[in-house]
Amino acid sequence: MPSEFELIRRHFTRPTPQALLGPGDDCALLIPSEGMLLAVTTDMLVEGTHFLPDTDPCALGWKTLAVSLSDLAAMGARPRWALLAGSLPADDESWIAQFAAGLFACAGRHAVDVVGGDTTRGPRNLCLTAIGELPAATALRRDRALPGDDLWLSGQTGLAALGLAHLQGRVHLGEALRDTCVHCVAAAVAARRTRHSPARPGARRDRRLGRPARRPRPYRRAVAGRRRDLARSPAAAAGGIEPLLARRCQLAGGDDYELLFTAAVDRRDQLAALAGELELPLWRCGSIVAAPVGAVRVVDEDGQDSGFCDDRGFDHFA
Amino acid sequence: MPSEFELIRRHFTRPTPQALLGPGDDCALLIPSEGMLLAVTTDMLVEGTHFLPDTDPCALGWKTLAVSLSDLAAMGARPRWALLAGSLPADDESWIAQFAAGLFACAGRHAVDVVGGDTTRGPRNLCLTAIGELPAATALRRDRALPGDDLWLSGQTGLAALGLAHLQGRVHLGEALRDTCVHCVAAAVAARRTRHSPARPGARRDRRLGRPARRPRPYRRAVAGRRRDLARSPAAAAGGIEPLLARRCQLAGGDDYELLFTAAVDRRDQLAALAGELELPLWRCGSIVAAPVGAVRVVDEDGQDSGFCDDRGFDHFA
């Protein structure tokens, strides 16, 4: 096994044209663009919690960065820099090489410089911090939604979680749905089947679509997973599945990499046109109502209102 | 056990006056200061590798941030923001509360806003990313040292590593040295006995001391561990210790939080005066020579040259 320094040199040191100083010193040095905000996010992926031990390391490398790029995209930021800290078992340079290949493939696709990090020994754990930039007026914030706004979703959610439940034996899916959902686990792990939709400065700054904070982010699509021409709801598509499980997967399953955003009602035509222009499936999946923060009122396919629930996302300590 | 969201709300959400948007959205939003560089660093602390399972969680919280602030200080950056990602066992809110208390005590001391993070379940692992700012001309870079420069050190190194070796039974220290060294392990874990030396803008911008990249960083002292009025070399102080172990502790032991920097020979008087002014022990421990990158030539206390070695730091995969 090469030394820690040799491993970093071999696998994690690439040119960093966007940085004044990249890996090798105590810090990376970056020159922020004048007048832009920084958007910063950090995500930790733990073996056994966020990925299975036998996950393809190349796909995992891609996902490790894609998860954080997804956060940047959700706020309308253009990704620029990333730092990777990793705790790894000591004995598998081949795994490390494949992981790095996936990571840097994703970084190259999205013009991200990996400017620094930390490598240590321990249970496999990957922590990525991504830094992006955005014009101050265009930040897409969760606290900007207004009652009455439409809630839009690109694609659908819950398939990866259903596929994982199948792999774990918690549910038995029929063949067609199983293939779709297990495929979504793979797609979520890798987010590889995305088609590249580079940040469109024109679209990003087009204010005609509504208030800045409520415009859709075409860029998100670059990390939004593959398109799916499937029924909107896994619960609807999976007749034999226990409804509560299906709903939990859909509302709080995770690993979906889709865009959920709000827009004023008078933007519907423009959003439909935008969906066509971008070949991006967008559908109105709900609306904002006055209710306690975090509450979700679920209306079934048949129109039945099942009241409020508080599935606010996957809870690691639940 | 409260939910993940409730834990974050209770223990990790504090005011972030330096951020446009703090925890709670997909990213934190920061406004960088005009004309300043960003310095960014990330460090991962793994239970069993960087700290013992029974480490005081409050001290560990302090250390988790102090480690990264030390990197910022080493480059001359003023710390501003931090993000914390943590993988934690699910069953101990008391531990989490104490850890957070230590983390935010350190953050408060150094005017750092904890603007975001990630919480997940798994083997205990803490990953902190710190972001600082510095004027472009004052970055202190490792690649700026020149042959002939003096090498200066604040305090001494190796005591924490020797103390750890004692705790692990790899060496038996005499009573006085043992107390000192084990104390240094505690001090390194906490870096708590530092006296606060706020960033001194005047001193930081004083160019009379030499080229910017080779000036000492008074600020580093704020995370530089406590002062020690001890013999310069643990090897010298610890007569009964196997010399190679002592040397490894001194050159590559880690957890020292001292400043190692270079300066031109004609700055000696100014540095001596600065050491007095700051009540900071500074001593010339060597000089820069033309040699392969990373090589260190060690000269013993009695003047004997033991040649070059390549102890470049602690290697997690060695």
Side-chain angles (χ1 to χ4, degrees):
Chain A
M1 189 73 174
S3 74
E4 177 181 355
F5 308 101
E6 179 61 18
L7 283 174
I8 293 171
R9 192 194 65 74
R10 278 189 204 168
H11 302 295
F12 293 104
T13 306
R14 311 275 173 106
T16 55
Q18 297 187 75
L20 181 64
L21 187 67
D25 211 312
D26 293 291
C27 301
L29 295 179
L30 315 175
I31 305 175
S33 304
E34 202 177 309
M36 300 282 266
L37 293 183
L38 294 174
V40 191
T41 180
T42 191
D43 291 283
M44 181 173 270
L45 305 185
V46 181
E47 184 171 281
T49 302
H50 300 90
F51 58 93
L52 302 170
D54 61 356
T55 297
D56 168 33
C58 183
L60 180 63
W62 184 289
K63 172 178 171 171
T64 298
L65 179 55
V67 165
S68 297
L69 297 189
S70 160
D71 286 332
L72 294 183
M75 299 201 73
R78 184 169 72 90
R80 296 204 62 194
W81 306 287
L83 298 96
L84 172 73
S87 169
L88 300 169
D91 55 359
D92 196 348
E93 188 179 1
S94 162
W95 191 96
I96 292 171
Q98 292 176 68
F99 176 88
L103 179 83
F104 281 100
C106 184
R109 175 79 68 92
H110 298 287
V112 173
D113 278 2
V114 179
V115 295
D118 191 19
T119 313
T120 185
R121 193 168 181 165
R124 196 166 274 138
N125 181 313
L126 304 154
C127 186
L128 196 129
T129 301
I131 306 175
E133 293 186 323
L134 67 162
T138 68
L140 298 171
R141 298 165 53 151
R142 294 187 187 184
D143 58 6
R144 290 295 187 267
L146 296 176
D149 283 352
D150 286 331
L151 192 61
W152 291 77
L153 181 64
S154 67
Q156 58 180 294
T157 62
L159 294 179
L162 267 183
L164 182 62
H166 177 87
L167 290 175
Q168 294 174 330
R170 292 187 287 123
V171 67
H172 183 76
L173 303 179
E175 189 173 357
L177 184 61
R178 182 192 66 208
D179 288 351
T180 298
C181 291
V182 171
H183 198 77
C184 285
V185 176
V189 164
R192 300 194 76 158
R193 284 166 189 77
T194 58
R195 288 198 291 156
H196 182 42
S197 173
R200 296 157 43 94
R204 291 210 304 136
R205 296 199 178 105
D206 180 351
R207 308 215 173 165
R208 289 171 304 167
L209 284 174
R211 265 171 282 191
R214 299 189 289 147
R215 284 179 298 120
R217 307 309 316 156
Y219 185 74
R220 173 62 175 262
R221 183 177 167 233
V223 290
R226 69 195 185 99
R227 295 172 56 208
R228 299 183 202 100
D229 297 316
L230 300 169
R232 290 177 176 180
S233 157
I241 298 171
E242 202 265 305
L244 195 60
L245 173 67
R247 178 177 293 167
R248 279 200 67 89
C249 287
Q250 190 176 20
L251 292 178
D255 261 347
D256 287 307
Y257 306 101
E258 299 292 351
L259 245 189
L260 184 71
F261 61 92
T262 61
V265 171
D266 61 7
R267 304 301 176 185
R268 289 180 185 175
D269 290 348
Q270 287 168 286
L271 282 164
L274 187 67
E277 181 194 332
L278 297 172
E279 299 178 48
L280 178 68
L282 295 177
W283 61 288
R284 283 187 288 121
C285 62
S287 60
I288 301 296
V289 295
V293 170
V296 174
R297 170 181 282 162
V298 178
V299 180
D300 290 340
E301 291 277 308
D302 57 5
Q304 191 184 342
D305 185 338
S306 57
F308 285 103
C309 69
D310 63 351
D311 273 328
R312 290 195 287 169
F314 187 83
D315 181 351
H316 286 288
F317 295 111
Chain B
M1 187 76 172
S3 75
E4 176 182 355
F5 308 101
E6 179 61 18
L7 284 174
I8 294 171
R9 192 194 65 74
R10 277 191 203 168
H11 302 296
F12 294 103
T13 306
R14 311 274 173 109
T16 55
Q18 297 187 73
L20 181 64
L21 187 67
D25 211 312
D26 294 290
C27 300
L29 295 180
L30 315 175
I31 305 176
S33 304
E34 202 176 310
M36 300 282 267
L37 293 184
L38 295 173
V40 191
T41 180
T42 191
D43 291 283
M44 181 174 270
L45 304 186
V46 181
E47 184 171 282
T49 302
H50 301 90
F51 58 95
L52 301 170
D54 61 356
T55 296
D56 168 33
C58 183
L60 181 64
W62 184 290
K63 172 179 170 171
T64 298
L65 180 55
V67 164
S68 297
L69 297 189
S70 160
D71 285 333
L72 293 183
M75 300 201 73
R78 183 170 72 91
R80 294 204 62 194
W81 307 286
L83 297 95
L84 172 73
S87 169
L88 300 169
D91 54 359
D92 196 347
E93 187 179 1
S94 161
W95 191 96
I96 292 172
Q98 291 176 69
F99 176 88
L103 178 84
F104 282 99
C106 184
R109 175 77 68 93
H110 298 287
V112 172
D113 278 1
V114 179
V115 295
D118 191 20
T119 313
T120 185
R121 193 168 182 164
R124 197 167 273 140
N125 181 314
L126 303 154
C127 186
L128 196 129
T129 301
I131 306 175
E133 292 186 323
L134 67 163
T138 68
L140 298 170
R141 299 167 53 152
R142 294 187 186 185
D143 58 6
R144 291 295 187 267
L146 296 176
D149 283 353
D150 285 332
L151 192 60
W152 291 77
L153 180 63
S154 68
Q156 57 181 295
T157 61
L159 294 179
L162 268 182
L164 182 62
H166 178 86
L167 289 175
Q168 293 173 332
R170 293 186 287 122
V171 67
H172 182 76
L173 303 179
E175 188 173 359
L177 185 62
R178 182 191 65 210
D179 288 351
T180 299
C181 291
V182 171
H183 197 76
C184 283
V185 175
V189 164
R192 300 194 74 156
R193 284 168 189 76
T194 60
R195 287 200 289 159
H196 183 42
S197 172
R200 295 157 43 94
R204 290 210 304 137
R205 297 200 177 102
D206 180 354
R207 308 212 176 170
R208 290 170 303 166
L209 285 174
R211 267 170 282 191
R214 300 188 289 150
R215 285 180 296 121
R217 306 310 317 158
Y219 185 74
R220 172 62 173 259
R221 183 177 166 233
V223 290
R226 68 198 187 97
R227 295 171 56 206
R228 299 183 201 98
D229 297 316
L230 301 169
R232 290 178 176 180
S233 156
I241 297 171
E242 200 267 306
L244 194 61
L245 172 68
R247 178 176 295 164
R248 279 201 65 90
C249 287
Q250 190 175 20
L251 292 179
D255 261 347
D256 287 306
Y257 305 100
E258 300 292 350
L259 244 188
L260 184 71
F261 62 93
T262 62
V265 171
D266 61 7
R267 305 299 176 186
R268 289 180 186 175
D269 290 347
Q270 285 168 288
L271 282 165
L274 187 67
E277 181 194 334
L278 297 172
E279 298 178 52
L280 177 68
L282 294 178
W283 62 289
R284 282 186 292 118
C285 62
S287 60
I288 301 296
V289 295
V293 170
V296 175
R297 170 182 280 161
V298 178
V299 180
D300 290 340
E301 290 277 310
D302 59 5
Q304 191 183 343
D305 184 340
S306 57
F308 286 102
C309 69
D310 63 351
D311 273 327
R312 291 195 285 170
F314 187 81
D315 180 351
H316 286 288
F317 294 110

